[in-house]
Amino acid sequence: MACSELSAQMRGYGLTTAEILYHMPDHPGLLQTFLWQTWDLAPQFPELKRFLRFWTNELDGTLHSVRFAHKGVIGPARWRNVDVSMLLN
């Protein structure tokens, strides 16, 4: 599994976390929270969209709101040139 996660990161995927608020099916006046996390590709977010489509079509709890954050874990190396002269005795 770790190999596939690394492969996804090398293709530009990052970690996406979604906080989903939904109306409880038996008590629509009450909101419940659900946290969901997966590797996804910004800015299209195909996995998040697929999951929300599944939720809307298959689950009873009506969505209230979705907040999400995305972080690319692997990125280009940061390199900085430092010009230093040192005198050693």
Side-chain angles (χ1 to χ4, degrees):
M1 174 166 327
C3 184
S4 64
E5 290 176 358
L6 179 60
S7 175
Q9 291 175 53
M10 297 299 288
R11 293 190 317 270
Y13 281 73
L15 193 59
T16 299
T17 304
E19 177 189 41
I20 300 167
L21 285 176
Y22 65 96
H23 296 275
M24 293 184 67
D26 295 339
H27 304 284
L30 296 177
L31 291 176
Q32 181 74 24
T33 189
F34 180 79
L35 291 177
W36 181 80
Q37 192 172 56
T38 193
W39 295 101
D40 211 349
L41 186 61
Q44 298 86 8
F45 299 104
E47 298 299 325
L48 178 59
K49 289 178 182 176
R50 184 178 300 118
F51 180 74
L52 293 176
R53 217 173 11 258
F54 165 79
W55 184 296
T56 302
N57 295 333
E58 303 295 330
L59 301 179
D60 291 333
T62 306
L63 293 175
H64 175 270
S65 60
V66 177
R67 291 187 328 164
F68 68 94
H70 177 82
K71 174 66 176 159
V73 180
I74 292 182
R78 293 183 180 157
W79 183 82
R80 185 175 73 172
N81 184 28
V82 178
D83 189 14
V84 174
S85 296
M86 298 177 82
L87 180 61
L88 301 174
N89 292 339

